[in-house]
Coordinates of all heavy atoms in Angstrom, one line a residue:
M1 N 62.7 95.6 190.5 CA 61.7 95.3 189.5 C 60.5 94.5 190.0 O 60.7 93.6 190.7 CB 62.3 94.5 188.3 CG 61.4 94.0 187.3 SD 62.1 93.1 185.9 CE 63.6 93.9 185.5
D2 N 59.3 95.0 189.6 CA 58.1 94.4 190.2 C 57.9 93.1 189.5 O 58.3 92.8 188.3 CB 56.9 95.3 190.1 CG 56.3 95.6 188.7 OD1 56.4 94.7 187.8 OD2 55.8 96.7 188.6
K3 N 57.1 92.2 190.2 CA 56.8 90.8 189.7 C 56.1 90.8 188.4 O 56.4 89.9 187.4 CB 56.1 90.1 190.7 CG 55.7 88.7 190.3 CD 56.5 87.6 191.0 CE 56.1 86.3 190.8 NZ 56.4 85.6 189.5
E4 N 55.1 91.8 188.2 CA 54.4 91.8 186.9 C 55.3 92.1 185.7 O 55.2 91.5 184.7 CB 53.3 92.9 187.1 CG 52.4 92.9 185.8 CD 51.3 94.0 185.9 OE1 50.9 94.4 187.1 OE2 50.9 94.4 184.9
L5 N 56.3 93.0 185.8 CA 57.1 93.4 184.8 C 58.1 92.2 184.5 O 58.3 91.9 183.3 CB 57.9 94.6 185.0 CG 58.9 95.1 184.0 CD1 58.2 95.3 182.6 CD2 59.6 96.3 184.5
Q6 N 58.6 91.6 185.6 CA 59.4 90.5 185.4 C 58.8 89.3 184.7 O 59.4 88.7 183.8 CB 60.0 90.1 186.8 CG 61.1 88.9 186.7 CD 61.7 88.5 188.0 OE1 61.8 89.4 189.0 NE2 62.3 87.3 188.1
D7 N 57.6 89.0 185.1 CA 56.8 87.9 184.4 C 56.7 88.3 183.0 O 56.7 87.3 182.1 CB 55.5 87.8 185.1 CG 55.6 87.1 186.5 OD1 56.7 86.6 186.9 OD2 54.7 87.1 187.3
K8 N 56.4 89.5 182.7 CA 56.2 89.9 181.3 C 57.4 89.7 180.4 O 57.4 89.1 179.3 CB 55.7 91.4 181.1 CG 55.2 91.9 179.8 CD 54.7 93.2 179.9 CE 54.1 93.7 178.5 NZ 53.5 95.0 178.6
I9 N 58.5 90.1 180.9 CA 59.8 89.9 180.3 C 60.2 88.5 180.2 O 60.5 88.0 179.0 CB 61.0 90.7 181.0 CG1 60.7 92.2 180.9 CG2 62.3 90.3 180.5 CD1 61.7 93.1 181.8
E10 N 60.0 87.7 181.2 CA 60.2 86.2 181.1 C 59.4 85.6 180.0 O 59.8 84.7 179.3 CB 60.1 85.6 182.5 CG 61.2 85.9 183.4 CD 61.0 85.5 184.8 OE1 59.8 85.1 185.1 OE2 62.0 85.6 185.6
G11 N 58.1 86.1 179.9 CA 57.1 85.4 179.1 C 57.6 85.7 177.6 O 57.4 84.9 176.7
L12 N 58.0 86.9 177.3 CA 58.5 87.4 176.1 C 59.7 86.5 175.6 O 59.8 85.9 174.6 CB 58.9 88.8 176.0 CG 57.7 89.8 175.9 CD1 58.3 91.2 176.2 CD2 57.0 89.8 174.6
I13 N 60.6 86.3 176.6 CA 61.9 85.6 176.3 C 61.5 84.1 176.0 O 62.1 83.4 175.1 CB 62.8 85.7 177.3 CG1 63.4 87.1 177.6 CG2 64.0 84.7 177.3 CD1 64.1 87.5 178.8
A14 N 60.5 83.6 176.8 CA 60.1 82.2 176.7 C 59.3 81.9 175.3 O 59.0 80.7 175.0 CB 59.4 81.8 177.9
S15 N 58.9 83.0 174.7 CA 57.9 82.8 173.6 C 58.6 82.2 172.4 O 57.9 81.6 171.4 CB 57.2 84.1 173.1 OG 58.2 85.0 172.6
K16 N 59.9 82.2 172.3 CA 60.6 81.7 171.2 C 62.0 81.2 171.6 O 62.6 81.9 172.4 CB 60.7 82.8 170.0 CG 61.0 82.5 168.7 CD 59.8 81.8 167.9 CE 60.2 81.7 166.5 NZ 59.0 81.3 165.8
K17 N 62.6 80.3 170.8 CA 63.9 79.8 171.2 C 64.9 81.1 171.1 O 65.8 81.2 171.9 CB 64.4 78.8 170.2 CG 65.9 78.4 170.4 CD 66.2 77.3 169.3 CE 67.7 77.1 169.2 NZ 68.2 76.2 170.3
I18 N 64.8 81.9 170.1 CA 65.6 83.1 169.9 C 64.8 84.3 170.1 O 63.8 84.5 169.4 CB 66.3 83.1 168.6 CG1 67.2 81.8 168.4 CG2 67.2 84.2 168.4 CD1 67.6 81.5 166.9
F19 N 65.1 85.2 171.0 CA 64.3 86.4 171.2 C 65.2 87.6 171.4 O 66.3 87.5 172.0 CB 63.5 86.3 172.6 CG 62.4 87.2 172.6 CD1 61.2 87.0 172.2 CD2 62.6 88.5 173.1 CE1 60.2 87.9 172.0 CE2 61.7 89.5 173.2 CZ 60.4 89.2 172.6
L20 N 64.8 88.7 170.6 CA 65.7 89.8 170.6 C 64.9 91.1 171.1 O 63.8 91.4 170.6 CB 66.1 90.1 169.1 CG 66.8 91.4 168.9 CD1 68.3 91.3 169.6 CD2 67.1 91.6 167.4
F21 N 65.4 91.6 172.1 CA 64.9 93.0 172.5 C 65.7 94.0 171.7 O 66.9 94.0 171.7 CB 65.0 93.3 174.0 CG 64.2 92.4 174.8 CD1 64.6 91.2 175.3 CD2 62.8 92.9 175.1 CE1 63.7 90.4 176.1 CE2 62.0 92.1 175.9 CZ 62.5 90.9 176.4
M22 N 64.9 94.9 171.0 CA 65.6 95.8 170.1 C 64.9 97.2 170.0 O 63.8 97.3 170.4 CB 65.8 95.2 168.6 CG 64.4 95.0 168.0 SD 64.5 94.2 166.4 CE 65.2 95.6 165.4
K23 N 65.6 98.1 169.3 CA 64.9 99.3 169.1 C 64.4 99.3 167.6 O 65.2 99.2 166.6 CB 65.9 100.7 169.1 CG 66.4 100.8 170.6 CD 67.4 101.9 170.7 CE 67.7 102.0 172.2 NZ 68.8 103.0 172.4
G24 N 63.0 99.3 167.5 CA 62.5 99.2 166.1 C 62.0 97.8 165.9 O 61.9 97.0 166.9
T25 N 61.9 97.4 164.7 CA 61.5 96.1 164.4 C 62.6 95.5 163.4 O 63.3 96.2 162.8 CB 60.1 96.1 163.6 OG1 60.3 96.8 162.4 CG2 59.0 96.7 164.4
P26 N 62.5 94.2 163.2 CA 63.5 93.6 162.2 C 63.5 94.2 160.8 O 64.5 94.4 160.2 CB 63.2 92.2 162.2 CG 62.5 91.9 163.5 CD 61.8 93.1 163.8
D27 N 62.2 94.6 160.3 CA 62.1 95.2 159.0 C 62.4 96.8 159.1 O 62.7 97.3 158.0 CB 60.7 95.0 158.5 CG 60.5 93.6 158.1 OD1 61.4 92.9 157.8 OD2 59.3 93.1 158.2
A28 N 62.5 97.4 160.3 CA 62.7 98.8 160.4 C 63.4 99.1 161.7 O 62.9 99.6 162.6 CB 61.4 99.5 160.3
P29 N 64.8 98.6 161.7 CA 65.4 99.0 163.0 C 65.6 100.4 163.2 O 65.7 101.1 162.2 CB 66.8 98.2 162.8 CG 66.6 97.5 161.5 CD 65.4 97.9 160.8
M30 N 65.6 100.9 164.4 CA 65.7 102.2 164.8 C 67.1 102.6 165.3 O 67.2 103.8 165.8 CB 64.6 102.7 165.8 CG 63.2 102.4 165.2 SD 62.7 103.4 163.8 CE 62.6 105.0 164.5
C31 N 68.0 101.8 165.3 CA 69.4 102.1 165.6 C 70.3 101.1 164.9 O 69.9 100.0 164.6 CB 69.7 102.1 167.1 SG 70.0 100.6 167.9
G32 N 71.6 101.6 164.7 CA 72.5 100.8 164.0 C 72.8 99.4 164.8 O 73.1 98.4 164.0
F33 N 72.9 99.5 166.0 CA 73.2 98.2 166.7 C 72.1 97.2 166.6 O 72.4 96.0 166.4 CB 73.5 98.5 168.2 CG 74.7 99.4 168.4 CD1 74.7 100.7 168.9 CD2 76.0 98.9 168.0 CE1 75.7 101.4 169.1 CE2 77.1 99.7 168.2 CZ 77.0 101.0 168.7
S34 N 70.9 97.6 166.6 CA 69.8 96.7 166.5 C 69.7 96.2 165.0 O 69.5 95.0 164.7 CB 68.4 97.3 166.8 OG 68.3 97.7 168.1
A35 N 70.0 97.1 164.0 CA 70.2 96.6 162.6 C 71.2 95.6 162.4 O 71.0 94.6 161.7 CB 70.4 97.9 161.7
G36 N 72.3 95.8 163.1 CA 73.5 94.9 163.1 C 73.1 93.5 163.5 O 73.5 92.5 162.9
V37 N 72.4 93.4 164.7 CA 72.0 92.2 165.2 C 71.0 91.5 164.3 O 71.0 90.3 164.0 CB 71.6 92.2 166.6 CG1 70.9 90.9 167.1 CG2 72.6 92.7 167.6
T38 N 70.0 92.2 163.8 CA 69.0 91.6 163.0 C 69.6 91.1 161.6 O 69.2 90.1 161.1 CB 67.9 92.5 162.6 OG1 68.3 93.7 162.0 CG2 67.1 92.9 163.9
N39 N 70.7 91.8 161.2 CA 71.3 91.3 159.9 C 72.1 90.0 160.1 O 72.1 89.2 159.3 CB 72.4 92.5 159.5 CG 71.7 93.6 158.8 OD1 70.5 93.5 158.4 ND2 72.3 94.8 158.7
V40 N 72.8 90.0 161.3 CA 73.4 88.6 161.7 C 72.4 87.5 161.7 O 72.5 86.5 161.2 CB 74.2 88.9 163.0 CG1 74.6 87.5 163.5 CG2 75.3 89.7 162.9
L41 N 71.3 87.8 162.4 CA 70.3 86.7 162.5 C 69.7 86.4 161.2 O 69.5 85.2 160.9 CB 69.2 87.1 163.6 CG 69.6 87.3 164.9 CD1 68.5 87.9 165.8 CD2 70.1 86.0 165.6
R42 N 69.4 87.4 160.4 CA 69.0 87.1 159.0 C 69.9 86.3 158.2 O 69.6 85.4 157.5 CB 68.5 88.4 158.4 CG 67.8 88.3 157.1 CD 67.3 89.6 156.5 NE 66.4 90.2 157.3 CZ 66.5 91.5 157.9 NH1 67.6 92.2 157.7 NH2 65.6 92.0 158.6
S43 N 71.2 86.7 158.3 CA 72.2 86.0 157.5 C 72.3 84.5 157.9 O 72.7 83.6 157.0 CB 73.5 86.6 157.6 OG 74.2 86.4 158.9
L44 N 72.0 84.2 159.1 CA 72.0 82.8 159.7 C 70.7 82.1 159.5 O 70.7 80.8 159.8 CB 72.3 82.7 161.1 CG 73.8 83.4 161.5 CD1 74.0 83.4 163.0 CD2 74.8 82.7 160.7
G45 N 69.7 82.8 158.8 CA 68.5 82.1 158.7 C 67.7 81.9 160.0 O 66.8 80.9 160.0
A46 N 68.0 82.5 161.1 CA 67.4 82.4 162.3 C 65.9 82.6 162.3 O 65.6 83.7 161.8 CB 68.2 83.1 163.4
D47 N 65.2 81.8 163.1 CA 63.7 82.1 163.2 C 63.5 82.8 164.7 O 64.0 82.0 165.7 CB 63.0 80.8 163.2 CG 61.5 81.0 163.3 OD1 61.0 82.2 163.1 OD2 60.8 80.0 163.8
Y48 N 63.2 84.0 164.7 CA 63.3 84.7 166.1 C 62.1 85.6 166.2 O 61.5 86.0 165.3 CB 64.5 85.3 166.3 CG 64.8 86.5 165.4 CD1 64.5 87.8 165.9 CD2 65.3 86.4 164.2 CE1 64.7 88.9 165.1 CE2 65.5 87.4 163.3 CZ 65.2 88.7 163.7 OH 65.4 89.8 163.0
N49 N 61.7 85.9 167.5 CA 60.7 86.9 167.8 C 61.5 88.1 168.3 O 62.6 88.0 168.8 CB 59.7 86.4 168.8 CG 58.7 85.5 168.3 OD1 58.6 85.3 167.1 ND2 57.9 85.0 169.2
S50 N 60.8 89.2 168.2 CA 61.7 90.5 168.8 C 60.5 91.4 169.4 O 59.3 91.1 169.3 CB 62.3 91.2 167.7 OG 61.3 91.7 166.7
F51 N 61.0 92.3 170.2 CA 60.2 93.2 170.8 C 60.8 94.7 170.8 O 62.0 94.8 171.0 CB 60.1 92.9 172.5 CG 59.0 93.8 173.1 CD1 57.7 93.6 173.1 CD2 59.5 95.0 173.7 CE1 56.8 94.4 173.7 CE2 58.6 95.8 174.3 CZ 57.3 95.5 174.4
N52 N 60.0 95.5 170.3 CA 60.5 97.0 170.1 C 60.3 97.7 171.4 O 59.2 98.1 171.9 CB 59.5 97.6 168.9 CG 60.0 99.0 168.8 OD1 60.9 99.6 169.4 ND2 59.2 99.8 168.0
V53 N 61.6 97.8 172.1 CA 61.6 98.6 173.4 C 61.1 100.0 173.3 O 60.7 100.6 174.3 CB 62.9 98.3 174.1 CG1 63.4 97.0 174.3 CG2 63.9 99.2 173.3
L54 N 61.2 100.5 172.2 CA 60.6 102.0 172.0 C 59.1 102.1 172.2 O 58.6 103.1 172.4 CB 61.0 102.5 170.7 CG 62.5 102.6 170.4 CD1 62.9 103.1 169.0 CD2 63.3 103.4 171.4
S55 N 58.4 101.0 172.1 CA 56.9 100.9 172.2 C 56.5 100.7 173.8 O 55.3 100.9 174.0 CB 56.3 99.8 171.4 OG 56.6 98.6 172.0
D56 N 57.5 100.5 174.7 CA 57.1 100.2 176.1 C 58.2 100.6 177.0 O 59.2 99.9 177.1 CB 56.7 98.8 176.2 CG 56.1 98.5 177.6 OD1 56.7 99.1 178.6 OD2 55.3 97.6 177.7
M57 N 58.2 101.8 177.6 CA 59.2 102.3 178.4 C 59.5 101.5 179.6 O 60.7 101.4 180.0 CB 59.1 103.8 178.9 CG 59.1 104.8 177.7 SD 60.7 104.7 176.8 CE 61.8 105.3 178.1
S58 N 58.5 100.7 180.1 CA 58.8 100.0 181.3 C 59.6 98.7 180.9 O 60.6 98.3 181.7 CB 57.4 99.4 182.0 OG 56.8 98.7 181.1
I59 N 59.3 98.1 179.8 CA 60.1 97.0 179.3 C 61.6 97.6 178.9 O 62.7 97.0 179.3 CB 59.5 96.3 178.2 CG1 58.3 95.5 178.8 CG2 60.5 95.3 177.5 CD1 57.6 94.6 177.9
R60 N 61.6 98.8 178.3 CA 62.9 99.3 177.8 C 63.8 99.5 179.0 O 65.0 99.2 179.0 CB 62.7 100.7 177.2 CG 64.0 101.3 176.7 CD 63.7 102.6 176.0 NE 64.9 103.2 175.4 CZ 65.0 104.2 174.7 NH1 64.0 104.9 174.3 NH2 66.1 104.7 174.3
E61 N 63.4 100.0 180.1 CA 64.2 100.2 181.3 C 64.3 98.8 182.2 O 65.4 98.5 182.6 CB 63.7 101.3 182.2 CG 63.7 102.6 181.6 CD 65.1 103.0 181.0 OE1 66.1 102.7 181.8 OE2 65.2 103.5 179.8
G62 N 63.2 98.0 182.1 CA 63.2 96.8 182.8 C 64.2 95.6 182.3 O 64.8 95.0 183.1
I63 N 64.3 95.7 181.1 CA 65.2 94.7 180.5 C 66.7 94.9 180.8 O 67.4 94.1 181.0 CB 64.9 94.5 178.9 CG1 65.6 93.3 178.4 CG2 65.4 95.7 178.1 CD1 65.0 91.9 179.0
K64 N 66.9 96.1 181.1 CA 68.4 96.4 181.3 C 68.6 96.0 182.8 O 69.7 95.4 183.1 CB 68.5 98.0 181.4 CG 68.4 98.6 179.9 CD 68.5 100.2 180.0 CE 68.2 100.7 178.6 NZ 68.3 102.2 178.8
E65 N 67.6 96.1 183.8 CA 67.7 95.6 185.1 C 67.7 94.0 185.0 O 68.5 93.4 185.7 CB 66.6 96.2 185.9 CG 66.7 95.7 187.4 CD 65.7 96.2 188.2 OE1 65.0 97.2 187.9 OE2 65.4 95.6 189.3
F66 N 66.8 93.5 184.4 CA 66.6 92.1 184.2 C 67.9 91.3 183.8 O 68.2 90.3 184.4 CB 65.5 91.8 183.2 CG 65.2 90.3 183.0 CD1 64.2 89.7 183.9 CD2 65.8 89.5 182.1 CE1 63.9 88.3 183.7 CE2 65.4 88.2 181.9 CZ 64.5 87.7 182.7
A67 N 68.6 91.9 182.8 CA 69.8 91.2 182.3 C 71.1 91.8 183.0 O 72.1 91.2 182.7 CB 70.0 91.4 180.9
N68 N 70.9 92.9 183.8 CA 72.1 93.5 184.4 C 73.0 93.9 183.2 O 74.2 93.7 183.2 CB 72.8 92.6 185.4 CG 73.7 93.5 186.2 OD1 73.6 94.7 186.4 ND2 74.7 92.9 186.8
W69 N 72.3 94.4 182.2 CA 73.1 94.8 181.0 C 72.5 96.2 180.6 O 71.3 96.3 180.3 CB 72.9 93.8 179.8 CG 73.7 93.9 178.6 CD1 73.4 94.5 177.5 CD2 75.0 93.5 178.4 NE1 74.4 94.5 176.5 CE2 75.5 93.8 177.1 CE3 76.0 92.8 179.3 CZ2 76.8 93.5 176.6 CZ3 77.3 92.5 178.8 CH2 77.6 92.9 177.5
P70 N 73.4 97.3 180.4 CA 72.9 98.5 180.2 C 72.3 99.0 178.8 O 71.8 100.1 178.7 CB 74.0 99.5 180.6 CG 75.2 98.6 180.2 CD 74.8 97.2 180.5
T71 N 72.6 98.2 177.9 CA 72.3 98.6 176.5 C 71.3 97.7 175.8 O 71.1 96.5 176.1 CB 73.6 98.8 175.7 OG1 74.2 97.5 175.7 CG2 74.5 99.8 176.2
I72 N 70.7 98.1 174.8 CA 69.9 97.4 173.8 C 70.5 97.5 172.5 O 70.9 98.7 172.1 CB 68.4 98.0 173.9 CG1 67.9 97.9 175.3 CG2 67.5 97.5 172.9 CD1 66.8 98.7 175.8
P73 N 70.5 96.5 171.6 CA 69.8 95.2 171.7 C 70.2 94.3 172.7 O 71.4 94.4 173.1 CB 69.9 94.7 170.3 CG 71.2 95.2 169.8 CD 71.4 96.6 170.4
Q74 N 69.4 93.3 173.1 CA 69.7 92.2 173.9 C 69.2 91.0 173.3 O 68.1 90.9 173.0 CB 69.1 92.4 175.3 CG 69.7 93.5 176.1 CD 69.2 93.5 177.6 OE1 68.6 92.7 178.0 NE2 69.6 94.6 178.2
L75 N 70.0 89.9 173.1 CA 69.7 88.8 172.5 C 69.6 87.5 173.5 O 70.6 87.5 174.3 CB 70.7 88.4 171.3 CG 70.4 87.0 170.6 CD1 69.1 87.1 169.8 CD2 71.5 86.6 169.7
Y76 N 68.5 86.8 173.4 CA 68.4 85.6 174.3 C 68.2 84.4 173.4 O 67.5 84.4 172.4 CB 67.1 85.8 175.2 CG 67.3 86.8 176.2 CD1 67.3 88.2 175.9 CD2 67.6 86.5 177.5 CE1 67.3 89.2 176.8 CE2 67.8 87.5 178.5 CZ 67.6 88.8 178.1 OH 67.8 89.8 179.1
I77 N 68.9 83.3 173.8 CA 68.7 82.0 173.1 C 68.4 81.0 174.2 O 69.1 80.9 175.2 CB 70.0 81.6 172.3 CG1 70.2 82.7 171.2 CG2 69.8 80.2 171.7 CD1 71.5 82.4 170.4
D78 N 67.3 80.2 173.9 CA 66.9 79.2 175.0 C 66.8 79.8 176.3 O 67.1 79.3 177.3 CB 67.8 78.0 175.1 CG 67.7 77.2 173.7 OD1 66.6 77.0 173.2 OD2 68.7 76.6 173.3
G79 N 66.3 81.1 176.5 CA 66.1 81.7 177.8 C 67.4 82.4 178.3 O 67.3 82.9 179.3
E80 N 68.5 82.1 177.7 CA 69.8 82.6 178.2 C 70.1 84.0 177.6 O 70.1 84.0 176.4 CB 70.8 81.4 178.0 CG 72.3 81.9 178.4 CD 73.3 81.0 177.8 OE1 73.0 80.0 177.2 OE2 74.5 81.3 178.0
F81 N 70.6 84.9 178.4 CA 71.0 86.0 177.8 C 72.4 85.9 177.1 O 73.4 85.4 177.7 CB 71.2 87.1 179.0 CG 71.8 88.4 178.5 CD1 71.2 89.2 177.4 CD2 73.0 88.9 179.1 CE1 71.8 90.4 177.1 CE2 73.6 90.1 178.6 CZ 73.0 90.8 177.6
I82 N 72.5 86.3 175.9 CA 73.7 86.1 175.1 C 74.6 87.3 175.1 O 75.8 87.3 175.4 CB 73.3 85.7 173.7 CG1 72.5 84.5 173.7 CG2 74.6 85.6 172.8 CD1 73.2 83.2 174.3
G83 N 73.9 88.5 174.9 CA 74.7 89.8 174.8 C 74.0 90.8 173.8 O 73.0 90.6 173.4
G84 N 74.8 91.8 173.6 CA 74.3 92.8 172.8 C 75.0 92.7 171.5 O 75.6 91.8 171.1
H85 N 75.1 93.8 170.6 CA 75.6 93.8 169.3 C 77.0 93.2 169.1 O 77.3 92.4 168.3 CB 75.6 95.3 168.8 CG 76.3 95.5 167.5 ND1 77.5 95.7 167.3 CD2 75.6 95.2 166.2 CE1 77.8 95.7 166.0 NE2 76.7 95.5 165.3
D86 N 78.0 93.8 169.9 CA 79.3 93.4 169.7 C 79.6 91.9 170.0 O 80.3 91.1 169.3 CB 80.4 94.3 170.6 CG 80.3 95.7 170.0 OD1 79.8 96.1 169.0 OD2 80.9 96.6 170.8
I87 N 78.9 91.5 171.0 CA 79.1 90.0 171.4 C 78.4 89.2 170.3 O 79.0 88.1 169.9 CB 78.4 89.8 172.9 CG1 79.2 90.5 173.9 CG2 78.3 88.2 173.1 CD1 78.6 90.5 175.2
V88 N 77.3 89.5 169.8 CA 76.6 88.8 168.8 C 77.4 88.7 167.5 O 77.5 87.6 167.0 CB 75.2 89.3 168.5 CG1 74.6 88.7 167.3 CG2 74.2 89.1 169.7
V89 N 78.0 89.8 167.1 CA 78.7 89.9 165.9 C 80.0 89.0 166.1 O 80.4 88.2 165.2 CB 79.2 91.3 165.6 CG1 80.2 91.4 164.5 CG2 77.9 92.1 165.1
E90 N 80.7 89.0 167.2 CA 81.9 88.3 167.5 C 81.6 86.8 167.5 O 82.2 85.9 167.0 CB 82.5 88.7 168.8 CG 83.9 88.0 169.0 CD 84.8 87.9 167.8 OE1 85.0 89.1 167.2 OE2 85.5 86.9 167.6
M91 N 80.4 86.4 168.2 CA 80.0 85.0 168.2 C 79.8 84.5 166.8 O 80.0 83.3 166.7 CB 78.9 84.9 169.1 CG 79.1 85.0 170.7 SD 77.7 84.8 171.7 CE 77.4 83.1 171.5
A92 N 79.1 85.3 166.1 CA 78.8 84.8 164.6 C 80.1 84.7 163.8 O 80.3 83.7 163.1 CB 77.9 85.8 164.0
R93 N 81.0 85.6 164.0 CA 82.3 85.4 163.4 C 83.1 84.2 163.8 O 83.8 83.7 162.9 CB 83.2 86.6 163.8 CG 84.1 87.2 162.6 CD 84.8 88.6 163.0 NE 84.0 89.6 162.7 CZ 83.8 90.7 163.3 NH1 84.3 90.8 164.5 NH2 83.1 91.7 162.8
S94 N 83.0 83.8 165.0 CA 83.8 82.6 165.5 C 83.0 81.3 165.3 O 83.5 80.2 165.4 CB 84.1 82.8 167.0 OG 82.8 82.6 167.8
G95 N 81.8 81.4 164.8 CA 80.9 80.2 164.6 C 80.2 79.7 165.9 O 79.4 78.8 165.9
E96 N 80.3 80.4 167.1 CA 79.7 80.1 168.3 C 78.3 80.3 168.3 O 77.5 79.5 168.8 CB 80.5 80.8 169.5 CG 80.0 80.3 170.8 CD 80.7 81.0 171.9 OE1 81.7 81.8 171.7 OE2 80.2 80.9 173.0
L97 N 77.9 81.5 167.6 CA 76.4 81.8 167.5 C 75.7 80.7 166.7 O 74.6 80.3 167.1 CB 76.2 83.1 167.0 CG 74.8 83.7 166.9 CD1 74.3 83.8 168.4 CD2 74.7 85.0 166.2
Q98 N 76.3 80.3 165.6 CA 75.5 79.3 164.7 C 75.4 78.0 165.6 O 74.3 77.4 165.4 CB 76.5 78.9 163.6 CG 76.6 80.1 162.6 CD 77.7 81.1 162.9 OE1 77.9 81.4 164.1 NE2 78.2 81.7 161.8
K99 N 76.3 77.5 166.4 CA 76.2 76.4 167.2 C 75.0 76.6 168.2 O 74.3 75.6 168.4 CB 77.4 76.1 168.0 CG 78.5 75.5 167.2 CD 79.8 75.3 168.0 CE 81.0 75.1 167.1 NZ 82.2 75.4 167.8
K100 N 74.8 77.8 168.8 CA 73.8 78.1 169.9 C 72.5 78.0 169.2 O 71.5 77.5 169.9 CB 74.1 79.3 170.5 CG 75.0 79.2 171.6 CD 74.7 80.3 172.6 CE 75.5 80.2 173.9 NZ 75.2 79.1 174.8
I101 N 72.4 78.5 168.0 CA 71.0 78.6 167.5 C 70.7 77.3 166.5 O 69.6 77.3 165.9 CB 70.8 79.9 166.6 CG1 71.7 79.9 165.3 CG2 70.9 81.0 167.5 CD1 71.4 81.1 164.4
G102 N 71.7 76.5 166.3 CA 71.5 75.4 165.5 C 71.4 75.6 164.0 O 70.9 74.9 163.2
A103 N 72.2 76.6 163.6 CA 72.3 77.0 162.2 C 73.5 76.3 161.4 O 74.4 75.9 162.1 CB 72.4 78.5 162.0

């Protein structure tokens, strides 16, 4: 991954305590997994930023390499990669996600 793309991804992640790379937007998710993660975050009252990877193919592919994670959505908290849909749902179920986001 080139430095410019890496810096752009790191900047997005650093822009907010909770950051979500997703397909679509929180108000109009473009896949069920992205919708699932936004629903979890909304139910916890989380304040987060997101990026629609469908709007930028370099970020869509770059984020997979950045996190060494092949799928989207990808959730970051305090700059740390948390995981995708299944991990986020399980962490919310166990209460671990609430602790991480301070909900």
Side-chain angles (χ1 to χ4, degrees):
M1 170 181 315
D2 70 30
K3 175 102 173 82
E4 184 179 336
L5 180 57
Q6 182 171 340
D7 289 348
K8 188 173 183 180
I9 290 170
E10 287 173 351
L12 287 166
I13 292 167
S15 71
K16 195 82 168 178
K17 174 185 171 75
I18 304 168
F19 197 90
L20 178 65
F21 290 93
M22 64 180 292
K23 293 178 181 173
T25 65
D27 292 332
M30 299 297 287
C31 82
F33 296 115
S34 291
V37 173
T38 59
N39 287 339
V40 167
L41 293 174
R42 187 175 294 119
S43 75
L44 299 177
D47 181 25
Y48 67 99
N49 282 353
S50 66
F51 184 86
N52 177 5
V53 299
L54 300 177
S55 71
D56 187 324
M57 290 308 289
S58 65
I59 289 184
R60 182 179 182 172
E61 294 309 312
I63 194 63
K64 296 174 186 179
E65 182 182 341
F66 182 85
N68 196 23
W69 189 261
T71 59
I72 294 161
Q74 293 185 11
L75 182 66
Y76 291 78
I77 299 175
D78 290 324
E80 174 192 357
F81 175 60
I82 302 301
H85 174 269
D86 294 351
I87 291 169
V88 170
V89 168
E90 184 50 42
M91 286 177 72
R93 213 174 268 136
S94 73
E96 192 178 344
L97 187 63
Q98 292 85 326
K99 289 177 193 157
K100 278 210 174 284
I101 67 172

